[in-house]
Amino acid sequence: SNANVSNKIAIHMAKLHCGFVIPEYLRQYHNVENPGMWTQLCDWMEQAKSENAEYPYKAPNDEKRASELFDLEFIEKELHQLKSGQKGGIPEQARVAFCHNDLLAANIMRSTTSPSKDEEDEEEEFDVQLIDFEYGGVNYACFDIANHFNEWAGGTTDGKPNYDLFPTIRQKTQFCQAYLAEVARLQQTQNKPLQNHHDETQSAMLQTLMMEVDAFVLANHLYWGLWAVNQAKAEGCDDFDYLLYAHNRFRQFEICQAS
């Protein structure tokens, strides 16, 4: 939650979204006309609800636990409503970029660039690096930001995210301001107008970005909730309680939707 660290992350995310050019030989796998979020959500939904005879839970008791913790028919209905635009307000023209898609704390490496010159000043110069692009691909840029905000809550060690740690409006605003400033700087050096926002004022651009991020927060909860259901089937819950994590992500989806 350190503001300086958060700003650095925003800057590097902007650099990724604006500066990464997909090599020609990979474009058949990363099509800019087909953001990965909906495809992945629908694939994971089908996989999660597949018959247990075809794709069983690894532990016999997990099927019963899953039925007690969440209702996949309800989740599927919510997903269809989100995709159709009935709920969530995800804009059709949301900006697409190459995204990290999994920017939690463990995938952000901080390094010191120079030690503090003043003994009384404990602040050292540092930078951050985004690592582990296992889930990287073409997606909505605001999904990437929303995912990062959701990851502030943690939960990847015990299955229990603490959403009291979700960034405040002020923290989200500071992050988005740093992100937009870097996007503007990069596109100016590339002699490109700010995509989709060239006729907006700075204040309007910020408001649009934050509204889009808020919309993708919902989809992101379904995304990792369904991922966790399938991980429970593939790996079991002995080392990590994927079913509990799925339950908490689905529950937060409902809370965010109702707010």
Side-chain angles (χ1 to χ4, degrees):
S1 62
N2 181 290
N4 291 335
V5 174
S6 189
N7 286 348
K8 296 271 190 186
I9 296 168
I11 289 168
H12 280 275
M13 190 180 287
K15 288 179 177 177
L16 174 66
H17 293 169
C18 293
F20 185 83
V21 178
I22 300 167
E24 188 70 38
Y25 68 93
L26 290 177
R27 289 181 185 176
Q28 61 177 317
Y29 307 107
H30 299 286
N31 184 352
V32 294
E33 302 298 324
N34 184 29
M37 183 187 79
W38 293 122
T39 302
Q40 189 67 82
L41 272 167
C42 292
D43 286 351
W44 279 343
M45 185 74 249
E46 288 300 313
Q47 188 178 349
K49 69 173 188 170
S50 61
E51 294 297 325
N52 286 323
E54 175 188 345
Y55 187 45
Y57 283 99
K58 197 159 187 178
N61 190 49
D62 282 348
E63 183 179 353
K64 180 174 182 292
R65 282 190 68 221
S67 67
E68 293 170 348
L69 286 171
F70 45 79
D71 179 357
L72 285 178
E73 288 188 6
F74 169 78
I75 297 301
E76 184 176 28
K77 178 182 175 183
E78 293 296 317
L79 173 57
H80 287 161
Q81 290 184 335
L82 199 64
K83 187 176 182 183
S84 68
Q86 296 176 48
K87 293 183 178 179
I90 292 177
E92 292 183 9
Q93 300 303 315
R95 190 161 67 92
V96 173
F98 188 88
C99 297
H100 187 285
N101 293 320
D102 189 25
L103 206 53
L104 70 167
N107 290 338
I108 302 165
M109 187 167 65
R110 172 173 169 162
S111 59
T112 302
T113 55
S114 66
S116 172
K117 297 174 183 175
D118 187 343
E119 292 183 2
E120 296 181 1
D121 182 10
E122 297 181 359
E123 189 68 28
E124 58 189 13
E125 292 185 24
F126 69 94
D127 202 358
V128 300
Q129 183 178 353
L130 314 185
I131 63 172
D132 192 352
F133 282 76
E134 177 184 358
Y135 294 95
V138 172
N139 209 345
Y140 298 105
C142 285
F143 175 90
D144 221 7
I145 300 173
N147 180 82
H148 176 61
F149 287 169
N150 275 333
E151 294 294 356
W152 280 41
T156 54
T157 56
D158 60 3
K160 301 175 183 178
N162 177 7
Y163 290 103
D164 289 339
L165 300 176
F166 188 83
T168 64
I169 292 176
R170 180 181 178 184
Q171 289 168 326
K172 289 192 293 183
T173 300
Q174 289 176 337
F175 185 97
C176 289
Q177 285 174 329
Y179 176 89
L180 283 175
E182 183 64 12
V183 168
R185 188 191 71 80
L186 290 168
Q187 295 195 332
Q188 188 175 24
T189 61
Q190 298 165 4
N191 294 317
K192 295 178 181 179
L194 186 55
Q195 184 180 348
N196 292 344
H197 301 305
H198 61 276
D199 58 347
E200 289 186 275
T201 65
Q202 191 171 2
S203 176
M205 287 166 55
L206 177 62
Q207 185 177 14
T208 298
L209 180 68
M210 293 184 69
M211 287 176 63
E212 288 188 9
V213 170
D214 286 343
F216 280 104
V217 164
L218 284 172
N220 186 257
H221 284 305
L222 295 185
Y223 188 92
W224 290 113
L226 288 169
W227 167 84
V229 173
N230 292 314
Q231 288 296 108
K233 289 189 171 191
E235 298 184 11
C237 295
D238 290 341
D239 294 329
F240 178 79
D241 196 341
Y242 290 107
L243 291 179
L244 177 62
Y245 185 71
H247 162 73
N248 284 322
R249 294 303 297 255
F250 292 148
R251 183 177 64 178
Q252 191 63 20
F253 168 86
E254 293 184 59
I255 291 170
C256 289
Q257 191 179 61
S259 63

